[in-house]
């Protein structure tokens, strides 16, 4: 998936499959092809169907669309958006609990909702770059801060700014409440409808992923067994029986894994599209206090991670106020470990450096981030910390030319 030069079937088939549609340019038009070479006209249409089928087999877009629609109990065409799907999910959940769904109301945005934090990168080439990602940032913010229309407290704490929060400025808030980075207060006396729904989706996805991992291990074991059986078979004859049954089992495992992967991806998409619905003024539950509370709290979280990692790097490299964070994009940050490697690992092999960053430095920073996020949880009054940051990539070189323009 992604932006393409053209969305004509011929180009998409070439990008995805490395194939082309049947060429009929010598006839000028489909009408001429139909009249002058009817068999090729039939072959042309058959080829189109085959190409679409192979694209679906490889990408599974239609299957994914069906899964999202089934989960939201909506029409297939509505699965490509977030507003109708989430309106239906919330409606059905409220119906099960005998809670009346509120009527639609027209709410206009007073202004542009402040978005995510994307740092101006330190352009150029950097040696030894390590990236860390926050797991499902926006869904976890909604759950941690119990953000839901019925948990919004009308009053808010005034003059709250992310910069002041980063400087550990203290703010007073009522009991049984937590405070987003906008100063907006949310009740913690009971769990909100929307956080409950996200938690259910998250738990369901975790269960599916565990089943998928188990089947993947079973597939690997079956492949290994088949490989050993083939190596030990010197007859040169095709064998049936148990050997044939295992091949059938392997095909079924591959189908099961693909089906489970589509299901977990559908759940991931649903969770990640919720913020899009909450920030849409045509959504039944649109509330700018929630929408901006999510994005600015996200800024606070990722910038807190930037602050502590810079403090740690300056201490280890014996420098002052050097910015080692090359770039930040919403829920991920990229750290320049070049100076760290020169100071502590000079002369070591690339394998040794990679192993040290992977097994020693990465886990230490993950622990540092965990401690930082637990501190934020206490400061803002949340009951639990759901922010988790894990190491993603270690690259010996990274090049940035601008925001979102880089290679590792």
């Amino acid at each position: 998936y992604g932006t393409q030069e053209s969305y004509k079937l011929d180009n998409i088939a070439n990008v995805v499959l490395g194939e082309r549609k049947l060429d009929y340019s010598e006839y000028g038009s489909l009408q001429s092809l139909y009249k002058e070479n009817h068999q090729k006209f039939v072959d042309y249409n058959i080829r189109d169907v085959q190409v679409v089928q192979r694209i679906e087999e490889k990408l599974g877009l239609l299957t994914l669309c069906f899964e999202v629609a089934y989960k939201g109990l909506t029409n297939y065409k509505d699965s490509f958006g977030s507003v109708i799907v989430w309106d239906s999910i919330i409606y059905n959940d409220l119906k099960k609990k005998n809670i009346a769904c509120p009527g639609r109301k027209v709410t206009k945005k007073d202004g542009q909702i402040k978005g995510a934090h994307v740092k101006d990168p330190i352009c150029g080439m950097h040696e030894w770059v390590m990236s860390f990602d926050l797991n499902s940032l926006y869904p976890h913010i909604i759950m941690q801060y119990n953000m839901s229309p019925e948990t919004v407290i009308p009053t808010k704490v005034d003059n709250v700014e992310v910069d002041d929060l980063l400087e550990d400025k203290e703010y007073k808030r009522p009991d049984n409440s937590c405070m987003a980075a906008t100063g907006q207060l949310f009740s913690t006396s009971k769990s909100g409808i929307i956080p409950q729904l996200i938690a259910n989706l998250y738990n369901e996805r975790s269960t599916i992923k565990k089943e998928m991992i188990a089947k993947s291990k079973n597939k690997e074991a079956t492949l290994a067994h088949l490989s050993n059986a083939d190596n030990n078979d010197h007859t040169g004859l095709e064998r049936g029986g148990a050997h044939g049954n295992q091949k059938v089992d392997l095909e079924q495992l591959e189908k099961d894994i693909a089906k489970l992967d589509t299901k977990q991806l559908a759940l991931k998409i649903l969770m990640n599209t919720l913020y899009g619905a909450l920030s849409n003024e045509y959504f039944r539950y649109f509330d700018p206090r929630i929408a901006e509370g999510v994005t600015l709290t996200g800024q606070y979280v990722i910038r807190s991670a930037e602050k502590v990692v810079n403090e740690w790097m300056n201490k280890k490299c014996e420098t002052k106020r050097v910015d080692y964070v090359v770039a930040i994009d919403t829920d991920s940050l990229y750290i320049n470990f070049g100076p760290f490697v020169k100071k502590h690992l000079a002369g070591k092999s690339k394998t040794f450096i990679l192993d040290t960053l992977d097994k020693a430095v990465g886990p230490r920073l993950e622990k540092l981030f965990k401690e930082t996020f637990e501190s934020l949880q206490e400061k803002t009054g949340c009951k639990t910390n759901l922010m988790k940051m894990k190491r993603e990539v270690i690259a010996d070189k990274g090049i940035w030319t601008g925001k979102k323009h880089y290679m590792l």
Side-chain angles (χ1 to χ4, degrees):
Y1 306 120
T3 304
Q4 300 297 334
E5 180 181 348
S6 168
Y7 291 92
K8 291 183 177 179
L9 181 58
D10 184 61
N11 181 65
I12 298 300
N14 183 48
V15 171
V16 177
L17 305 172
E19 301 179 16
R20 292 284 188 180
K21 290 172 41 135
L22 194 62
D23 182 42
Y24 65 91
S25 56
E26 68 272 24
Y27 293 96
S29 68
L30 275 174
Q31 182 68 18
S32 298
L33 175 63
Y34 174 78
K35 290 181 177 180
E36 299 175 29
N37 192 338
H38 190 74
Q39 183 57 52
K40 188 170 185 179
F41 176 80
V42 172
D43 293 340
Y44 170 83
N45 285 279
I46 292 172
R47 172 77 168 178
D48 274 11
V49 173
Q50 291 172 336
V51 165
V52 170
Q53 183 177 0
R54 283 199 288 274
I55 290 173
E56 170 58 20
E57 288 172 352
K58 186 167 184 178
L59 298 183
L61 177 61
L62 292 177
T63 307
L64 185 61
C65 161
F66 297 156
E67 284 291 341
V68 172
Y70 291 155
K71 196 66 186 176
L73 300 178
T74 63
N75 294 320
Y76 295 141
K77 65 182 179 67
D78 297 325
S79 66
F80 292 97
S82 59
V83 170
I84 293 177
V85 173
W86 268 103
D87 190 72
S88 178
I89 289 173
I90 296 171
Y91 168 80
N92 285 295
D93 183 69
L94 293 177
K95 185 179 178 182
K96 289 177 184 176
K97 297 172 180 176
N98 291 320
I99 299 175
C101 182
R104 291 185 180 275
K105 57 181 180 180
V106 179
T107 306
K108 293 295 181 182
K109 294 180 182 178
D110 294 331
Q112 189 69 27
I113 292 174
K114 293 180 181 178
H117 178 59
V118 181
K119 178 181 177 178
D120 288 322
I122 302 172
C123 294
M125 186 171 74
H126 308 273
E127 293 188 352
W128 293 108
V129 175
M130 193 186 301
S131 70
F132 290 82
D133 281 9
L134 279 154
N135 180 29
S136 301
L137 176 59
Y138 286 178
H140 278 130
I141 286 175
I142 293 170
M143 286 192 286
Q144 179 171 321
Y145 288 80
N146 202 33
M147 296 180 175
S148 198
E150 77 280 12
T151 64
V152 174
I153 296 175
T155 56
K156 62 177 288 188
V157 180
D158 293 328
N159 303 317
V160 177
E161 299 289 342
V162 173
D163 289 339
D164 292 334
L165 288 168
L166 290 168
E167 295 301 321
D168 296 322
K169 183 177 178 179
E170 294 185 1
Y171 297 90
K172 291 183 179 180
R173 52 180 174 72
D175 293 336
N176 298 319
S177 71
C178 61
M179 184 186 76
T182 55
Q184 181 58 54
L185 297 169
F186 297 90
S187 172
T188 57
S189 58
K190 65 176 182 179
S191 182
I193 296 292
I194 290 179
Q196 284 178 18
L197 285 170
I198 299 176
N200 292 340
L201 292 175
Y202 193 84
N203 293 335
E204 184 180 351
R205 182 173 180 244
S206 297
T207 301
I208 291 172
K209 287 182 74 175
K210 287 178 182 177
E211 185 180 353
M212 188 173 72
I213 290 170
K215 286 186 178 291
S216 296
K217 288 180 179 178
N218 195 357
K219 175 188 170 184
E220 290 174 6
T222 304
L223 282 170
H225 187 78
L226 286 170
S227 177
N228 291 334
D230 288 338
N231 290 335
N232 293 330
D233 181 15
H234 303 293
T235 63
L237 299 174
E238 184 177 351
R239 294 174 292 128
H243 192 70
N245 290 336
Q246 283 187 324
K247 287 187 175 180
V248 173
D249 291 342
L250 183 61
E251 291 177 1
Q252 186 60 49
L253 278 171
E254 289 174 342
K255 290 179 181 178
D256 291 344
I257 291 167
K259 186 176 180 181
L260 289 169
D261 190 37
T262 301
K263 284 187 174 181
Q264 70 85 18
L265 183 57
L267 293 172
K268 179 181 179 181
I269 289 171
L270 281 172
M271 288 190 292
N272 289 336
T273 56
L274 174 58
Y275 170 73
L278 288 170
S279 61
N280 190 316
E281 60 189 348
Y282 298 102
F283 186 46
R284 188 190 303 265
Y285 306 97
F286 166 71
D287 189 328
R289 294 172 296 181
I290 297 176
E292 202 159 80
V294 172
T295 53
L296 285 185
T297 302
Q299 287 191 26
Y300 178 36
V301 171
I302 195 67
R303 289 181 63 189
S304 294
E306 176 190 27
K307 179 183 177 182
V308 295
V309 80
N310 267 327
E311 290 172 351
W312 189 86
M313 287 290 291
N314 274 283
K315 182 179 179 180
K316 294 297 180 182
C317 295
E318 296 181 351
T319 54
K320 292 183 178 180
R321 298 182 180 178
V322 174
D323 188 1
Y324 290 97
V325 176
V326 178
I328 294 176
D329 187 356
T330 308
D331 58 358
S332 58
L333 52 81
Y334 300 82
I335 307 164
N336 174 19
F337 274 90
F340 179 93
V341 170
K342 285 181 181 179
K343 184 169 184 63
H344 299 284
L345 302 169
K348 301 295 184 181
S349 68
K350 185 175 288 188
T351 302
F352 183 86
I353 294 170
L354 183 63
D355 196 53
T356 302
L357 293 177
D358 177 31
K359 296 180 180 178
V361 179
R364 176 63 190 93
L365 288 181
E366 286 179 356
K367 182 181 178 183
L368 178 64
F369 292 138
K370 182 175 181 290
E371 293 167 353
T372 301
F373 299 147
E374 287 174 349
S375 175
L376 299 191
Q377 170 222 328
E378 292 178 6
K379 283 172 59 178
T380 54
C382 300
K383 288 188 173 181
T384 56
N385 169 52
L386 299 176
M387 301 296 110
K388 295 178 183 178
M389 199 165 207
K390 291 187 177 182
R391 195 269 298 161
E392 287 292 317
V393 176
I394 300 175
D396 60 348
K397 287 183 176 61
I399 300 173
W400 270 261
T401 59
K403 286 184 178 181
K404 301 180 183 288
H405 288 81
Y406 68 96
M407 61 182 292
L408 298 173

